[in-house]
């Protein structure tokens, strides 16, 4: 296809502003799918995406649209909206020349709208503002367009007004894409340069590599080379998504599609790599993009120890289809064999856990999540810590650093004071406030990531009655007065309950945690001491009293020495139990670390 008649675009927006619904309508109106095949969220093929109504993985689809007798090939790359999957958005934008910026006709510009719009501006894309949900009973379209101009600095004078759900004005979207988004610049005469913007693993066909061709062309049977990995393989099949995989003989400049090479390991295909021909290679690679960094870690252990290998297999399958997820084996004295898993954020962690429990029917114990820390030792080494058990003795620590995030809130004006107080309580540093209009304000704070990931999103929705939104980005590490807090059950340290906390809040958190553990651990035949400690200093304690069986119930009179003898025997038994008895800690207790933080 002539690259003059190709358009590559993304749809970017805040969560729940209608990206997937608009994508559905574009497929339906263009005839890519029939009314019989149509269903909501057709591009969201994961069960978890359909259940939660969110997009997790970026998807690609090719649409044909005829305008003035000319057939145009439009390549849509659908993107997620949640802050945890911002890296997926950046990957999609790198393969496009333009973007539809979707804004809700009532909610207006939100935190992720701002973040995604700036990502598109930084990628030098042509941005088309689209106001969605104009069929709502209450809209404020003119105010929303003012927000687009004042907050984002975009010209909204000819913004499109559509309703993706009702299918209103969808034709105008096609016209705007064709007239406003530039065509790809590549030529067929130059050596092949194709960007790998995603990949996934298929059990039957191996690795499916998603590519966008910038220069040259590729045909079935060509020998190709992945420039970064240096790997050479043959093109067994190539094609486009319409929306299912449809094979074709060749792909030219500007086109988006997939290639199958028969590779069986996803780790061999790096997202951001450049594909070129083996016999006529390109001299330099495309810029690609940074690898996503996992910032939240937690332990996952099977309840039944015999499920360990099954869990390993399932985690490997997930890692095959999600390059931002990582796992390594680890052992815990309390929980046995399991894995330390790394995630982009809390939603990412929840989704992986739900997929394991829902799709694979696995029973898991998940330890409380924690973020990545840096430790500078006295001999000048820098250690990366993603597990509290790895924290060295306080004597060799020169500096304990925690990740800091720049957080942008967009909230109704009446809640500005509440949000500022919420951030101050979490060791936030105030940066700026900007009013987007009489009703809404944007507040920017710098906060420790550990204070955000647990429940900041829930707290924000709670204090703003659901109208507040937030977006954050990691800006670096900063030294802080951090300590490792251990939990001792019957004077034995339970490694899975250790956490890293700020010294100022250690006592409060320790007290909240042992109090909750006391509720979760059932009574035993002996007294159980629960303690929170920093090093050798105990900062909080709760005691679970022993179960007391009435051993003298069968004595109905007679000599008192008989009762004393029974009580003495019970006392000796309890003493022995206290010495050798094991405390059974239920699964729920391991989530107490998380719950106690939410209670504060």
């Amino acid at each position: 296809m002539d690259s003059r008649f190709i358009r590559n675009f993304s749809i970017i927006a805040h969560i729940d502003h209608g990206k997937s619904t608009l994508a559905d309508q574009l497929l339906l109106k263009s005839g890519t799918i029939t009314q019989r095949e149509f269903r909501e969220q057709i591009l969201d093929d994961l069960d978890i995406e359909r259940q939660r109504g969110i997009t997790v993985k970026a998807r690609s689809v090719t649409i044909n649209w005829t305008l003035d007798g000319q057939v145009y090939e439009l390549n849509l790359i659908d993107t997620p909206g949640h802050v945890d999957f911002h890296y997926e958005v950046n990957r999609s934008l790198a393969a496009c020349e333009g973007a539809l910026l979707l804004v809700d006709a009532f909610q207006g510009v939100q935190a992720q709208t701002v973040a995604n719009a700036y990502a598109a501006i930084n990628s030098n894309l042509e941005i088309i503002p689209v106001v969605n949900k104009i069929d709502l009973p209450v809209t404020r379209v003119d105010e929303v367009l003012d927000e687009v101009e004042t907050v984002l600095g975009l010209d909204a004078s000819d913004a499109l007004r559509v309703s993706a759900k009702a299918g209103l004005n969808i034709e105008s979207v096609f016209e705007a894409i064709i007239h406003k988004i530039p065509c790809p610049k590549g030529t067929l005469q130059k050596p092949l340069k194709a960007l790998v913007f995603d990949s996934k693993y298929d059990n039957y066909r191996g690795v499916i590599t998603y590519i966008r061709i910038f220069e040259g062309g590729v045909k079935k049977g060509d020998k190709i080379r992945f420039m970064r990995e240096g790997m050479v393989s043959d093109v067994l099949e190539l094609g486009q998504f319409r929306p299912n995989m449809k094979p074709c003989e060749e792909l030219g400049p500007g086109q988006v599609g997939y290639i199958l090479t028969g590779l069986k390991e996803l780790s061999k295909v790096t997202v951001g790599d450049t594909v070129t021909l083996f016999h006529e290679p390109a001299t330099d690679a495309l810029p690609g993009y940074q690898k996503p960094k996992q910032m939240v870690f937690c332990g996952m252990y099977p309840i039944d120890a015999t499920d360990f290998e099954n869990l390993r297999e399932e985690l490997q399958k997930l890692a095959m289809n999600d390059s931002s997820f990582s796992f390594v084996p680890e052992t815990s004295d309390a929980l046995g064999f399991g894995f330390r898993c790394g995630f982009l954020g809390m939603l990412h962690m929840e989704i992986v856990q739900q997929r394991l429990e829902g799709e694979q029917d696995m029973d898991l114990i998940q330890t409380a999540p924690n973020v990545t820390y840096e430790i500078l030792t006295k001999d000048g080494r820098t250690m990366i810590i993603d597990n509290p058990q790895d924290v060295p003795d306080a004597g060799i620590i020169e500096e304990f650093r925690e990740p800091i995030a720049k957080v942008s809130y967009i909230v109704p004006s009446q809640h500005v004071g509440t949000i500022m107080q919420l951030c101050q309580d979490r060791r936030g540093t105030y940066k700026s406030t900007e009013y987007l209009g009489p009703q809404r304000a944007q507040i920017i704070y710098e906060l420790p990531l550990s204070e955000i990931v647990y429940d900041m999103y829930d707290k924000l929705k709670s204090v703003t009655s659901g109208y507040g939104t937030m977006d954050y980005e990691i800006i670096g590490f900063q030294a802080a007065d951090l300590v490792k807090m251990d939990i001792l059950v019957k004077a034995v340290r339970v490694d899975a309950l250790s956490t890293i906390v700020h010294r100022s809040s250690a006592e409060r958190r320790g007290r909240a945690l042992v109090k909750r553990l006391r509720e979760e651990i059932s009574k035993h035949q002996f007294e159980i001491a629960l303690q929170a400690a920093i090093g050798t200093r105990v900062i909080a304690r709760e005691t679970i009293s022993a179960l007391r069986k009435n051993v003298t119930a069968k004595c109905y009179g007679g000599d008192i020495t008989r009762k004393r003898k029974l009580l003495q025997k019970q006392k000796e038994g309890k003493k022995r139990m206290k010495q050798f008895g094991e405390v059974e800690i239920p699964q729920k207790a391991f989530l107490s670390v998380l719950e106690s933080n939410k209670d504060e």
Side-chain angles (χ1 to χ4, degrees):
M1 180 125 194
D2 190 328
S3 61
R4 289 177 301 156
F5 307 119
I6 296 172
R7 301 290 184 272
N8 297 316
F9 69 101
S10 272
I11 304 176
I12 52 175
H14 189 78
I15 315 153
D16 205 28
H17 279 202
K19 287 184 304 301
S20 297
T21 313
L22 179 59
D24 295 345
Q25 281 294 345
L26 293 175
L27 294 175
L28 190 61
K29 293 279 184 196
S30 64
T32 307
I33 55 169
T34 62
Q35 188 69 49
R36 189 170 64 84
E37 293 170 313
F38 177 73
R39 59 185 176 127
E40 287 187 5
Q41 291 175 265
I42 194 158
L43 292 183
D44 294 343
D45 49 4
L46 295 176
D47 289 343
I48 192 99
E49 290 180 314
R50 306 187 66 75
Q51 286 162 14
R52 296 180 74 133
I54 58 172
T55 303
V56 171
K57 285 286 287 177
R59 276 291 310 272
S60 164
V61 64
T62 301
I63 301 165
N64 283 353
W65 183 258
T66 306
L67 184 68
D68 300 333
Q70 175 61 52
V71 178
Y72 288 85
E73 184 180 291
L74 313 179
N75 294 305
L76 158 65
I77 299 169
D78 190 25
T79 61
H82 197 278
V83 61
D84 278 12
F85 304 106
H86 192 62
Y87 84 101
E88 290 259 357
V89 177
N90 288 331
R91 283 181 4 192
S92 301
L93 296 181
C96 298
E97 278 79 34
L100 301 179
L101 180 71
L102 209 59
V103 188
D104 189 298
F106 178 70
Q107 292 181 4
V109 173
Q110 301 285 347
Q112 278 296 114
T113 316
V114 177
N116 290 336
Y118 285 152
I121 290 166
N122 292 337
S123 300
N124 297 318
L125 301 191
E126 181 65 41
I127 299 171
I128 303 171
V130 182
V131 179
N132 189 24
K133 306 187 185 181
I134 57 166
D135 59 325
L136 288 174
V138 180
T139 59
R140 44 187 202 93
V141 176
D142 293 334
E143 288 174 48
V144 167
L145 293 175
D146 286 342
E147 286 175 11
V148 170
E149 292 195 338
T150 53
V151 181
L152 305 173
L154 299 172
D155 179 14
S157 55
D158 54 353
L160 305 177
R161 303 175 186 209
V162 305
S163 167
K165 194 169 187 180
L168 297 174
N169 298 343
I170 302 299
E171 290 80 2
S172 65
V173 177
F174 285 112
E175 288 177 24
I177 291 166
I178 290 165
H179 291 313
K180 293 183 181 177
I181 293 175
C183 62
K185 291 193 173 78
T187 60
L188 196 57
Q189 287 70 39
K190 290 190 179 177
L192 173 67
K193 265 193 198 178
L195 176 73
V196 177
F197 69 89
D198 205 354
S199 60
K200 73 171 192 176
Y201 185 79
D202 184 279
N203 287 335
Y204 303 104
R205 311 176 82 181
V207 178
I208 301 167
T209 309
Y210 294 45
I211 57 166
R212 149 73 205 270
I213 298 178
F214 281 85
E215 299 281 1
V218 61
K219 295 193 282 291
K220 187 177 175 182
D222 280 349
K223 194 181 271 291
I224 57 167
R225 181 169 166 264
F226 291 84
M227 291 181 80
R228 192 178 300 175
E229 295 293 330
M231 201 174 46
V232 178
S233 55
D234 294 321
V235 177
L236 303 179
E237 182 184 309
L238 79 162
Q240 293 178 308
F241 298 97
R242 291 180 176 268
N244 297 320
M245 291 163 68
K246 187 177 178 184
C248 63
E249 286 304 310
E250 61 181 318
L251 291 174
Q255 291 191 292
V256 175
Y258 68 89
I259 50 174
L260 287 173
T261 55
L263 283 172
K264 296 298 180 191
E265 289 178 59
L266 197 75
S267 57
K268 295 278 176 70
V269 178
T270 309
V271 169
D273 203 346
T274 304
V275 176
T276 189
L277 291 176
F278 180 66
H279 298 295
E280 299 172 56
T283 49
D284 54 333
L286 294 163
Y289 13 67
Q290 288 181 328
K291 214 174 174 191
K293 282 184 188 167
Q294 289 101 9
M295 291 309 296
V296 175
F297 289 83
C298 80
M300 285 192 176
Y301 295 83
I303 289 179
D304 186 347
T306 56
D307 283 341
F308 176 74
E309 283 304 324
N310 289 350
L311 179 58
R312 186 201 294 273
E313 281 175 30
E314 296 308 331
L315 290 176
Q316 277 171 344
K317 285 180 190 172
L318 278 175
M320 279 176 174
N321 285 325
D322 186 351
S323 59
S324 58
F325 166 69
S326 68
F327 68 97
V328 290
E330 71 168 4
T331 53
S332 159
D333 296 339
L335 301 172
F337 294 101
F339 296 92
R340 189 95 193 143
C341 303
F343 310 92
L344 296 168
M346 292 293 278
L347 178 72
H348 190 202
M349 184 185 82
E350 270 182 53
I351 283 167
V352 169
Q353 186 200 353
Q354 282 186 337
R355 287 183 71 182
L356 286 170
E357 292 184 337
E359 295 172 20
Q360 311 305 334
D361 199 24
M362 300 203 76
D363 291 324
L364 298 172
I365 294 178
Q366 180 193 321
T367 63
N370 62 275
V371 300
T372 309
Y373 295 91
E374 269 185 11
I375 288 178
L376 180 66
T377 59
K378 289 191 173 166
D379 58 2
R381 287 183 302 121
T382 301
M383 299 172 68
I384 305 293
I385 301 291
D386 56 42
N387 188 343
Q389 296 172 42
D390 298 336
V391 176
D393 291 335
I396 70 165
I397 296 175
E398 180 69 37
E399 207 171 63
F400 210 144
R401 300 171 187 154
E402 62 183 345
I404 302 294
K406 181 184 173 188
V407 191
S408 167
Y409 300 95
I410 292 183
V411 297
S413 304
Q414 66 266 31
H415 296 300
V416 168
T418 320
I419 293 299
M420 291 176 86
Q421 186 60 52
L422 186 69
C423 293
Q424 292 298 129
D425 293 344
R426 292 169 180 245
R427 301 185 283 123
T429 307
Y430 172 75
K431 288 296 168 189
S432 65
T433 303
E434 184 185 340
Y435 282 87
L436 311 181
Q439 301 297 322
R440 299 197 306 149
Q442 181 179 36
I443 310 163
I444 295 175
Y445 262 88
E446 284 181 7
L447 279 158
L449 184 62
S450 57
E451 301 286 352
I452 300 169
V453 295
Y454 281 117
D455 62 334
M456 176 61 92
Y457 192 73
D458 295 345
K459 282 274 199 295
L460 171 72
K461 290 294 180 189
S462 173
V463 299
T464 61
S465 308
Y467 288 107
T469 60
M470 67 178 264
D471 175 62
Y472 66 84
E473 60 172 330
I474 312 298
I475 56 172
F477 286 82
Q478 195 172 294
D481 189 10
L482 301 167
V483 289
K484 181 174 111 168
M485 183 173 75
D486 290 316
I487 300 299
L488 287 79
V489 176
K490 201 168 142 285
V492 176
R493 185 171 67 87
V494 181
D495 49 9
L497 292 176
S498 297
T499 52
I500 296 170
V501 295
H502 194 268
R503 198 182 294 274
S504 62
S505 61
E507 204 169 307
R508 186 179 75 249
R509 286 197 171 185
R511 200 173 292 123
L513 182 50
V514 292
K515 203 171 272 185
R516 186 167 277 279
L517 277 174
R518 187 185 168 194
E519 294 167 14
E520 302 299 346
I521 297 175
S522 55
K523 285 187 175 185
H524 287 55
Q525 293 282 347
F526 49 89
E527 190 180 86
I528 302 168
L530 306 173
Q531 297 166 308
I534 295 170
T536 54
R537 188 170 71 89
V538 174
I539 56 171
R541 174 180 168 133
E542 289 283 334
T543 306
I544 301 172
S545 56
L547 274 173
R548 189 172 182 279
K549 185 182 175 187
N550 187 2
V551 290
T552 61
K554 59 185 178 184
C555 299
Y556 46 87
D559 194 355
I560 188 69
T561 54
R562 190 168 169 220
K563 284 187 178 180
R564 280 188 190 145
K565 193 175 173 184
L566 287 169
L567 289 168
Q568 186 62 32
K569 193 176 177 184
Q570 185 188 38
K571 192 175 173 184
E572 284 169 10
K574 279 188 182 294
K575 192 175 174 183
R576 194 165 61 252
M577 282 282 276
K578 192 172 182 179
Q579 195 174 346
F580 301 109
E582 289 290 324
V583 180
E584 281 185 26
I585 304 175
Q587 176 190 349
K588 210 173 167 195
F590 292 100
L591 298 176
S592 302
V593 184
L594 190 58
E595 295 295 327
S596 63
N597 282 310
K598 289 190 177 181
D599 289 349
E600 287 175 28

